[in-house]
Amino acid sequence: MKKKATKSPKINENTELKPSKEFSKNARVKSMAQYKRMYKESIEKPNTFWAREAKDLKWQKKWDSVLQWKAPNAKWFSGAKLNVCENCVDRHVEEGRGNKAAIIWEGEPGDKRVITYRQLLRDVSRFANALTAQGIKAKDSVLIYMPMTPEATIAMLACARIGAVHSVVFGGFSAESIKDRLDDSKAVAVITCDAGWRRGSTVPLKENVDNALKGNKTVKTVIVQKRIGNEVKMKRGRDKWWDDVTKDMPATHKPKGFNAEHPLFILYTSGSTGKPKGILHTSAGYMVGTYTTSKYIFDMKEDDVYWCTADVGWITGHSYITYGPLLNGVTQIMYEGAPNYPDWDRFWNIIEEYGVSIFYTAPTAIRAFIKAGDQHVDKHDLSSLRLLGTVGEPINPAAWLWYHEKIGGGRCPIVDTWWQTETGAAMISPLPGCTPIKPGTATLPFFGVDVAILDENGNECKPNTPGKLVIKKPWPSMLRNIYGDKKRYKDTYWSDYKGYYTAGDGALKDKKGNIYIVGRLDDVLNVSGHRLGTAEIESSLVAHKSVAEAAVVAKPHEVKGEAIVCFVTLKTNITPSPALKTELRNHVGKIIGAIAKPDSIHFAPALPKTRSGKIMRRLLKELVKTGNVTGNITTLEDPNVIEQLKNIIKE
Ligand code: WT7
């Protein structure tokens, strides 16, 4: 019988897609049998598994033990000496990739640079020498507040090279936010730019740093890259231009070997209190974790052109721009600006121009592209793509299907990667050459990740029943501490169930073991894939002179995932007005940063509270979502408040 030509079947949200034979054949992990074998080994014999992966990398001195674990403290690759930067850069020059492009960069206005691994080594070496010449030493903390320029990556790598601890602050954060992070990390230096480009306008980075430094006593040096050429104030003795501090520096630098647990970086993230947590990552484990996940999940190979659209200010930019891809020696794209500048086809234009083969972005961006219209995509040839990824929040089936069809041409697997600032590397994700994929699920755990979904009593939940997501065993790229606060580290992550890491996410498993992330269980919002604490926004609101009390909750939003809704009670002599709402929005923007500006503010005569005075956010959440409250309100101190609020949110 003649075989019928198979037309690609219409897929929907229930369809499970297997990778094509061709993709599997060339992939690093080619079959589910191979995945299962490797996974089993990684759980039962983690030392064997991780030692084999680690051997791909360069160790100035080999480890004595792979893992020492006494919950909640892990030591990975103890006894080893290594330099993370040497592994990202020098190793590739030594292995013959000197003239291979490491970073292909596009500035927002359209300027272009290509930096080979050899040039990267020279630039990083010069900057490492410059940092040393400025008196910066191993273990000193250095705050980096930069736009997406290659210098941001160079600065991070140079810190790693000399053993200084970088703390990158996203360029969208305000002066106040920089100040808090400077104080907490006791940074001795700041690396910044005169300004950065964003959607055709400039962001005054140096000016923000100047404001953040008022009253600061620890920072001795500020190094400023000239990006825009705008006029900035340079404080004599403290502020120096990047070009001036590097111009006489040798382009060679010997990478010293550091201990495996030498601190690599601090990255601040929001939690359920008003104070951001400085998540501390260390050297060897983080290096092995980001190397291995990039290799298997993004299936990185010698001739790939990889592009992650995140900003280096977030963990995604650390693990999957600066470290993971460079550890794998691939060519990557770095883009400075907004996705819709000068038009909504900027990303597709870049993919076409450079032949991007692996593309990693966020669901919120995908939803914004859908809204902007297919005509922007249709103009471009995206046939170089072979693999797509998403991160940051659950991806809704409609966005997934569009991404698969419209961007991936129906042929590219999508890796939906679940992880966190704390986990350092992707934890739950398909492997593109073998795992059947389906919209909305991050599918199965990565090697070495022992994940479970537990109920209140610590028992495993039945299939399709949501519970708390926990990780039962340590993994190499796990956080080691909340900077300077072991107690908070222990209480936040390791105290729900003894010896297990609690992620703060709700999740469920289907019968096949696919994991669906339901969302945060704590008071953390996910706005456009960025984590914001309700408590941080509330405390910035109550810091305003007109505000008596505030409660912040999330409301589902078509593009951003979640929108920020604030209920505010004003001080007795203050009259509510639209102008005051605008003032409060801007006030939050000024204190935290533009990403935290509330979407709506409701002035409320009172907030729903328990008799002991605790604000019942659960009721407010339901109210903004459905317009009603059906849950138990018997514990409310004054049930009339709900009726008042129902009317107020209609206004
Ligand atoms: C929180 C971590 C990891 C880099 C970006 C965010 C949510 C992350 C997914 C995903 C569903 C996801 C979780 C997590 N999240 N990835 N693929 N599916 N939810 O890092 O700021 O540390 O936030 O983002 O709620 O806990 P982060």
Side-chain angles (χ1 to χ4, degrees):
M1 210 170 78
K2 212 174 133 197
K3 209 176 157 196
K4 255 204 243 153
T6 45
K7 225 178 130 233
S8 113
K10 190 91 189 112
I11 61 166
N12 63 38
E13 60 183 82
N14 299 314
T15 317
E16 204 177 62
L17 292 176
K18 295 209 172 84
S20 69
K21 286 218 170 63
E22 202 202 329
F23 194 103
S24 300
K25 196 175 79 199
N26 298 317
R28 296 220 180 231
V29 181
K30 300 176 200 308
S31 66
M32 282 308 278
Q34 187 189 349
Y35 162 73
K36 283 182 187 152
R37 200 166 55 240
M38 289 173 76
Y39 181 75
K40 189 165 186 277
E41 183 194 46
S42 73
I43 297 296
E44 289 172 3
K45 295 183 190 154
N47 293 5
T48 314
F49 180 89
W50 289 112
R52 193 174 55 241
E53 289 302 327
K55 273 186 202 138
D56 289 357
L57 298 161
K58 184 168 175 178
W59 303 85
Q60 297 190 12
K61 179 175 172 283
K62 211 189 147 199
W63 54 88
D64 302 321
S65 67
V66 174
L67 170 65
Q68 290 173 16
W69 174 236
K70 196 167 170 291
N73 300 310
K75 285 186 181 160
W76 284 90
F77 304 103
S78 238
K81 296 262 185 211
L82 73 145
N83 189 293
V84 179
C85 175
E86 178 183 31
N87 273 282
C88 291
V89 189
D90 311 43
R91 193 165 56 88
H92 302 303
V93 178
E94 287 156 20
E95 290 176 7
R97 293 183 198 91
N99 288 329
K100 177 176 179 173
I103 299 173
I104 299 177
W105 178 79
E106 250 196 51
E108 195 185 74
D111 37 347
K112 295 172 185 182
R113 283 163 68 188
V114 177
I115 300 170
T116 65
Y117 275 98
R118 191 186 320 282
Q119 290 171 317
L120 186 62
L121 175 58
R122 292 172 65 82
D123 288 345
V124 168
S125 296
R126 264 192 218 100
F127 199 62
N129 285 321
L131 291 175
T132 306
Q134 296 302 319
I136 297 160
K137 301 182 302 297
K139 293 203 175 158
D140 280 348
S141 92
V142 175
L143 189 138
I144 299 177
Y145 183 64
M146 302 271 276
M148 286 290 287
T149 57
E151 279 69 16
T153 303
I154 292 168
M156 291 165 83
L157 290 170
C159 286
R161 196 173 185 90
I162 64 164
V165 184
H166 59 69
S167 145
V168 183
V169 177
F170 173 57
F173 277 121
S174 66
E176 292 278 339
S177 294
I178 306 173
K179 193 174 165 42
D180 291 346
R181 286 152 177 78
L182 280 174
D183 291 346
D184 190 78
S185 66
K186 300 178 196 67
V188 300
V190 177
I191 304 168
T192 189
C193 265
D194 50 2
W197 287 113
R198 194 69 192 172
R199 216 162 276 124
S201 319
T202 59
V203 185
L205 299 172
K206 174 63 166 67
E207 193 185 312
N208 289 347
V209 168
D210 289 341
N211 289 330
L213 282 172
K214 280 179 193 152
N216 177 289
K217 294 208 169 61
T218 56
V219 173
K220 302 280 178 292
T221 313
V222 178
I223 300 178
V224 189
Q225 183 205 352
K226 194 175 270 182
R227 168 66 187 129
I228 307 278
N230 55 315
E231 198 155 324
V232 293
K233 281 195 205 112
M234 296 292 275
K235 186 170 168 183
R236 193 169 315 146
R238 185 194 72 182
D239 300 355
K240 289 151 197 177
W241 291 106
W242 178 293
D243 288 347
D244 292 341
V245 296
T246 50
K247 72 174 188 290
D248 297 326
M249 290 296 146
T252 54
H253 178 274
K254 194 170 170 324
K256 187 178 164 219
F258 292 99
N259 291 335
E261 290 295 335
H262 188 88
L264 182 64
F265 66 85
I266 306 167
L267 183 60
Y268 287 86
T269 190
S270 300
S272 28
T273 72
K275 194 173 169 269
K277 303 176 281 194
I279 303 301
L280 179 75
H281 282 285
T282 59
S283 301
Y286 179 82
M287 172 175 82
V288 173
T290 53
Y291 166 72
T292 312
T293 47
S294 300
K295 176 168 110 178
Y296 291 119
I297 295 174
F298 295 116
D299 194 42
M300 285 184 187
K301 304 217 201 60
E302 196 67 71
D303 50 6
D304 272 312
V305 179
Y306 164 88
W307 183 21
C308 165
T309 67
D311 190 286
V312 287
W314 307 107
I315 192 68
T316 310
H318 284 59
S319 302
Y320 298 112
I321 295 179
T322 300
Y323 293 105
L326 293 179
L327 286 164
N328 279 274
V330 294
T331 293
Q332 74 173 312
I333 306 296
M334 190 177 189
Y335 169 59
E336 179 185 37
N340 58 348
Y341 188 84
D343 208 343
W344 276 103
D345 71 336
R346 186 65 185 263
F347 278 16
W348 322 130
N349 188 57
I350 291 176
I351 291 176
E352 178 173 8
E353 168 120 3
Y354 302 105
V356 171
S357 58
I358 307 170
F359 180 64
Y360 190 34
T361 196
T364 181
I366 298 167
R367 290 190 296 264
F369 290 127
I370 297 175
K371 233 180 147 190
D374 288 5
Q375 69 277 19
H376 302 288
V377 186
D378 294 337
K379 276 196 263 181
H380 296 282
D381 173 6
L382 304 181
S383 60
S384 59
L385 289 170
R386 68 179 191 92
L387 175 58
L388 302 174
T390 70
V391 61
E393 59 180 307
I395 178 163
N396 51 308
W400 193 98
L401 291 166
W402 183 88
Y403 195 35
H404 189 265
E405 280 309 303
K406 201 71 209 165
I407 304 306
R411 79 185 170 275
C412 305
I414 297 178
V415 288
D416 174 350
T417 58
W418 176 88
W419 57 295
Q420 308 176 298
T421 305
E422 291 87 343
T423 69
M427 302 290 278
I428 304 173
S429 169
L431 297 186
C434 64
T435 317
I437 52 170
K438 213 175 160 177
T441 172
T443 73
L444 304 172
F446 185 71
F447 302 132
V449 178
D450 191 359
V451 40
I453 293 159
L454 303 182
D455 67 16
E456 292 300 322
N457 304 318
N459 300 315
E460 287 237 15
C461 294
K462 293 204 178 68
N464 300 317
T465 311
K468 283 190 183 180
L469 183 68
V470 303
I471 317 286
K472 291 160 71 175
K473 287 197 171 72
W475 63 100
S477 63
M478 63 188 266
L479 78 164
R480 299 298 198 271
N481 202 2
I482 292 177
Y483 189 67
D485 198 345
K486 231 1 184 272
K487 185 174 178 303
R488 193 175 175 201
Y489 166 73
K490 221 171 144 182
D491 293 348
T492 311
Y493 301 111
W494 304 93
S495 57
D496 277 12
Y497 308 98
K498 202 170 177 318
Y500 293 175
Y501 170 84
T502 1
D505 276 345
L508 59 86
K509 264 189 204 176
D510 69 11
K511 286 211 172 90
K512 291 181 176 168
N514 287 316
I515 296 162
Y516 288 75
I517 305 296
V518 181
R520 300 287 307 186
L521 297 170
D522 51 9
D523 291 318
V524 167
L525 311 183
N526 191 327
V527 180
S528 302
H530 301 315
R531 215 157 125 179
L532 292 167
T534 51
E536 274 169 80
I537 304 172
E538 287 165 4
S539 73
S540 71
L541 283 166
V542 296
H544 189 277
K545 59 182 185 315
S546 311
V547 175
E549 257 192 328
V552 173
V553 291
K555 182 181 175 176
H557 186 279
E558 198 192 342
V559 174
K560 296 199 258 187
E562 289 187 344
I564 305 168
V565 180
C566 309
F567 291 87
V568 169
T569 57
L570 296 171
K571 289 189 179 153
T572 35
N573 51 352
I574 306 290
T575 329
S577 69
L580 183 54
K581 283 190 184 176
T582 311
E583 191 180 318
L584 290 177
R585 287 188 73 240
N586 292 336
H587 169 78
V588 175
K590 189 163 169 268
I591 299 227
I592 304 175
I595 45 164
K597 273 192 184 175
D599 293 85
S600 46
I601 291 181
H602 300 296
F603 291 128
L607 298 175
K609 287 188 191 163
T610 61
R611 278 178 207 109
S612 61
K614 232 180 125 200
I615 298 173
M616 295 182 77
R617 284 193 194 75
R618 172 172 65 80
L619 303 182
L620 292 172
K621 260 188 224 168
E622 191 187 349
L623 189 65
V624 298
K625 211 169 157 183
T626 66
N628 205 352
V629 171
T630 55
N632 185 350
I633 56 166
T634 50
T635 51
L636 265 188
E637 185 224 10
D638 176 6
N640 296 324
V641 170
I642 294 294
E643 285 311 312
Q644 290 172 350
L645 292 178
K646 271 191 207 167
N647 292 326
I648 286 166
I649 59 163
K650 284 192 204 129
E651 278 165 19

